[in-house]
Every structure is written in C-alpha cells, then in structure tokens.
C-alpha cells in the first residue's frame, strides 16, 4: 500500500510548559522556555509534512505484558494530573484517534511475532505525555488523528526497537502518511524536593541534575545530528540506560525502530535549546526521513 513515515521528532512534554506564560517567565528570570518557541517550529514542520495521522510514543503510559496501541475513535474529557494537580488540571481535550492504524499495527506485530496489541476502552485514562503535545501542537484545531503507544515496563531495550520495527511495517502496509512523536526527555533524574537552583533561570541547562548528565545528553544530541543512531545504540546499555533516559528511552527507541533501527541515518535538527526541567534534560529534535 506504500504508506510512509513523513517525519519524526523527539519532543519534550514536561508539565511546566503547561503553566501560563507569566509563571514560565518568572521561572525563567524574565525569559520564556525556548521549548515553547520550539513547539511553533515543530508545528511548521508538521504542517509541511501533511500527515494523515500522528503516532505518539507516550513515555507516561506504563503497561505490563504488551506494548499497547490505543485504538479509540475519539477522546473527549477534562484532564487532571495525579502527579501535580495543583497546576496541571482543567485541561479540556477533544481529538480523533485512528482505530484502523492501531488495529493494523496489532496485525503486523502478531504476524511478526511481536507484542504490540490494540486496545479500545472508553474509560482508559489519558496521559499528559500525549495531551500536552495535543495542546501545544494544536492537533485538535488541525483535526489530525492521534494514536498513542504505551511504554511496556517489563521490557529490555531491544524489545522497544522491535515494537517500533513492527509499527514501521504496519505503516508501510497502511497507505497512510504517518508522523512519529517520541514524547519524553533524555536524562531523567529528578532533583530533590529541597533542591536549590544553580542558575536563576530555572530552565537553564546548568540546573540539569548533574554535569555528567548534561555531557551525556549533549553527546547523544550530537550523534543524532550526525544521523549516527547506531552509535547511540552501541552505548545504550553502558551509558544511556544507566542515566537513565525517561521511560528507559522507550519513546526514542520505538521511534528509531520504526525508522530502521540501527540502519537509520536520519539527521536530527534541534528545534529548541537544551533545557532543564526539575533536573531532567529536555529538547525538541526533528528527524527528516531518509
């Protein structure tokens, strides 16, 4: 059917970005987070790519036993975060899913001995790793369907590559133009509750949990810029898995698996500055398919 991946991005979703601009600027010593401007840059990339559907690899949707693919037809409601409800609350959402693609992913995965399974349940909770992107990228306004894919917590890192490879095969069979969003951070070590910032601009990279994590994150960003995802995989077990990246890097690995895994040479174009969020390393990076 000649479906294709028309774009991909590693995207930060951190909840601080959902606060009002006034509060963000107070945190930024008068400056807003560049991740906000980065969302506008990413919106332009998405508009140019003209996807039929967007797949979000959701690093907050933790499942056990299967990589789940949400097959709902439409999502409507009001979100309240259990993690930080004092400001991430009252988020109204109303957007379309794409059941056909979700079911096609399950079918391709079963045929290839994989563990992706479609699920459709009207009471299934939304996660902000998906919703924050839906809101910031204005996917409700564009009426672009969104399919969320879970992070299966009882997996080793090669399982995520396999999950992504099965999703890539389903996309090729689908006849659809699909854009991939890996929703999550790089290094994901939080600062303690009594943390004191090193820099008055809270978003500043010097407030990431450690200089070692900053150096490792920037090394990965440089390898992405060169399209050397194979070298990231070579260092995965001994470096990135031990930092660790958010959700053990599932979001990046599934995206990469769909794009060819070790053979992928898509170059990463940073669409934002590299920034801190409560000690974690965050950035938006665009990958143009080969």
């Amino acid at each position: 059917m000649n479906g294709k991946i028309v774009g991909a991005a590693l995207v930060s979703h951190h909840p601080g970005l959902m606060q009002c601009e006034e509060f963000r600027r107070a945190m930024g010593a008068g400056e807003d987070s560049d991740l906000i401007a980065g969302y506008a840059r990413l919106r332009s990339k998405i508009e140019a790519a003209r996807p039929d559907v967007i797949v979000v690899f959701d690093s907050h949707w933790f499942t056990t036993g299967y990589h789940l693919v949400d097959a709902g037809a439409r999502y409507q409601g009001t979100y309240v975060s259990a993690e930080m409800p004092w400001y991430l609350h009252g988020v109204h959402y109303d957007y379309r899913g794409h059941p056909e693609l979700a079911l096609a992913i399950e079918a391709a995965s079963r045929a290839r001995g994989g563990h992706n399974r479609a699920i459709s349940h009207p009471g299934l909770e939304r996660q902000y790793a998906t919703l924050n992107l839906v809101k910031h990228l204005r996917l409700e306004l564009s009426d672009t369907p969104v399919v969320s894919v879970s992070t299966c917590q009882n997996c080793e890192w090669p399982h995520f590559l396999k999950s992504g490879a099965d999703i890539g095969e389903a996309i090729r069979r689908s006849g659809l133009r699909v854009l991939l969003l890996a929703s999550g951070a790089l290094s994901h070590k939080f600062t303690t509750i009594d943390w004191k910032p090193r820099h008055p601009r809270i978003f500043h990279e010097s407030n990431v949990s450690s200089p070692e994590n900053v150096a490792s994150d920037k090394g990965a960003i440089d390898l992405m810029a060169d399209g050397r995802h194979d070298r990231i995989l070579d260092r995965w077990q001994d470096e990135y898995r031990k930092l660790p990246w958010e959700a053990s890097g599932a979001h990046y690995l599934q995206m990469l698996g769909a794009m060819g895994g070790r053979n992928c040479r898509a170059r990463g174009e940073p669409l934002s500055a590299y920034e801190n969020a409560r000690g974690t390393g965050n950035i938006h990076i665009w990958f143009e398919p080969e």
Side-chain angles (χ1 to χ4, degrees):
M1 292 286 289
N2 297 320
K4 63 186 295 188
I5 294 170
V6 296
L10 176 70
V11 190
S12 174
H13 62 243
H14 82 76
L17 301 173
M18 295 294 283
Q19 297 179 102
C20 68
E21 182 178 350
E22 180 182 7
F23 192 83
R24 294 195 310 263
R25 288 188 179 277
M27 293 175 64
E31 296 181 52
D32 204 348
S33 165
D34 192 55
L35 292 167
I36 295 295
Y39 282 127
R41 299 173 193 126
L42 180 53
R43 286 198 301 270
S44 295
K45 295 283 192 183
I46 293 172
E47 289 168 7
R50 298 180 295 106
D52 298 316
V53 58
I54 291 176
V55 171
V56 176
F57 297 105
D58 188 316
S59 57
H60 276 241
W61 183 17
F62 289 106
T63 55
T64 305
Y66 290 110
H67 312 280
L68 293 184
V69 185
D70 202 320
R74 188 160 206 100
Y75 308 103
Q76 295 173 300
T78 301
Y79 178 74
V80 179
S81 166
E83 182 182 352
M84 41 193 69
W86 59 94
Y87 72 82
L88 189 51
H89 62 85
V91 180
H92 300 284
Y93 59 89
D94 183 356
Y95 66 97
R96 284 197 293 150
H98 201 293
E100 296 82 5
L101 178 59
L103 292 169
I105 289 171
E106 174 172 336
S109 184
R110 285 184 181 274
R112 292 158 56 93
H115 296 88
N116 294 325
R117 296 293 182 267
I119 184 73
S120 178
H121 194 294
L124 189 62
E125 181 184 9
R126 303 288 89 204
Q127 304 297 329
Y128 71 72
T130 291
L131 291 180
N132 290 5
L133 301 194
V134 167
K135 304 306 287 189
H136 278 297
L137 298 176
R138 303 176 184 172
L139 301 180
E140 293 161 306
L141 294 177
S142 66
D143 201 31
T144 307
V146 176
V147 172
S148 293
V149 178
S150 80
T151 294
C152 182
Q153 62 186 342
N154 57 320
C155 289
E156 299 297 330
W157 64 270
H159 295 132
F160 295 121
L161 286 172
K162 166 64 174 167
S163 169
D166 291 346
I167 290 169
E169 178 61 22
I171 290 170
R172 283 187 287 276
R173 298 178 186 180
S174 72
L176 295 167
R177 298 172 58 84
V178 180
L179 190 136
L180 310 176
L181 297 177
S183 180
L186 298 179
S187 63
H188 201 251
K189 180 175 174 57
F190 290 118
T191 49
T192 59
I193 198 168
D194 57 353
W195 168 71
K196 299 295 189 294
R198 302 184 185 93
H199 191 282
R201 188 170 183 270
I202 301 300
F203 301 125
H204 195 272
E205 67 181 49
S206 64
N207 286 323
V208 172
S209 56
S210 74
E212 293 78 13
N213 281 15
V214 172
S216 180
D217 285 350
K218 288 192 169 184
I221 292 166
D222 287 344
L223 289 172
M224 291 179 193
D226 291 337
R228 295 311 305 263
H229 304 277
D230 56 329
R231 293 185 180 176
I232 292 177
L233 296 182
D234 287 342
R235 294 160 61 174
W236 193 269
Q237 190 64 30
D238 293 330
E239 183 175 348
Y240 306 118
R241 179 67 185 89
K242 291 180 179 178
L243 288 180
W245 282 14
E246 185 164 13
S248 301
H251 54 306
Y252 166 74
L253 293 169
Q254 286 173 298
M255 177 189 72
L256 181 62
M259 298 175 71
R262 180 174 290 277
N263 296 322
C264 177
R265 291 294 181 271
R267 294 178 179 271
E269 174 190 353
L271 297 183
S272 75
Y274 169 76
E275 293 189 348
N276 163 69
R278 197 70 203 194
T280 69
N282 291 261
I283 191 171
H284 305 322
I285 301 178
W286 174 260
F287 300 95
E288 194 73 32
E290 300 171 281

